[in-house]
Amino acid sequence: MDDTTARERLESMQAELDRSIRVLTGDPVAVRERSAADAGSDLTDADRVQAMLDVAVAQRRAVSAALKRIDDGSYGQCVDCGKPVPDGRLEARPEAARCVHCQAKQERRR
């Protein structure tokens, strides 16, 4: 994938993530009288929102890092081994920082 196309896709992803993050961190709905069951449901909803927010923030960091790699000329090179990241991988995940082999090693470490 060429840098111009990658930048356009990444900037679009970043804008969408910014919108999602704003929605997820928006003002809470006004609290009304609730039963104990409603309070438990609210905690579950809050946990779910926090999990979605965590994923969106991590994704935004990856997109921002990819944009920086475009700026410094290293986009498309694995951050671990320096080999090219396959075009198919960049088509599917333009924010990908690692080749498939290094990404698999990274995930096994977790």
Side-chain angles (χ1 to χ4, degrees), residues 29-48:
V29 176
V31 177
R32 56 182 191 269
E33 289 186 31
R34 298 178 181 268
S35 69
D38 288 338
S41 175
D42 287 347
L43 288 175
T44 301
D45 289 344
D47 291 342
R48 188 177 9 256

Side-chain angles (χ1 to χ4, degrees), residues 17-59:
L17 287 163
D18 286 344
R19 281 189 291 276
S20 295
I21 290 167
R22 278 194 305 274
V23 167
L24 291 168
T25 58
D27 294 330
V29 176
V31 177
R32 56 182 191 269
E33 289 186 31
R34 298 178 181 268
S35 69
D38 288 338
S41 175
D42 287 347
L43 288 175
T44 301
D45 289 344
D47 291 342
R48 188 177 9 256
V49 168
Q50 186 60 50
M52 290 187 303
L53 182 60
D54 292 346
V55 168
V57 168
Q59 181 72 20

Side-chain angles (χ1 to χ4, degrees), residues 6-105:
R7 180 179 297 283
E8 288 171 0
R9 288 187 62 198
L10 288 162
E11 287 175 347
S12 175
M13 289 172 70
Q14 190 172 47
E16 184 61 34
L17 287 163
D18 286 344
R19 281 189 291 276
S20 295
I21 290 167
R22 278 194 305 274
V23 167
L24 291 168
T25 58
D27 294 330
V29 176
V31 177
R32 56 182 191 269
E33 289 186 31
R34 298 178 181 268
S35 69
D38 288 338
S41 175
D42 287 347
L43 288 175
T44 301
D45 289 344
D47 291 342
R48 188 177 9 256
V49 168
Q50 186 60 50
M52 290 187 303
L53 182 60
D54 292 346
V55 168
V57 168
Q59 181 72 20
R60 191 184 189 294
R61 271 192 228 113
V63 169
S64 293
L67 287 166
K68 286 180 185 167
R69 288 193 301 279
I70 289 173
D71 291 341
D72 70 20
S74 65
Y75 182 77
Q77 295 175 326
C78 178
V79 296
D80 291 342
C81 70
K83 293 180 182 174
V85 176
D87 281 339
R89 178 160 170 72
L90 292 174
E91 284 291 330
R93 307 266 330 221
E95 76 281 12
R98 294 180 175 83
C99 65
V100 175
H101 177 74
C102 290
Q103 184 63 39
K105 284 192 325 190

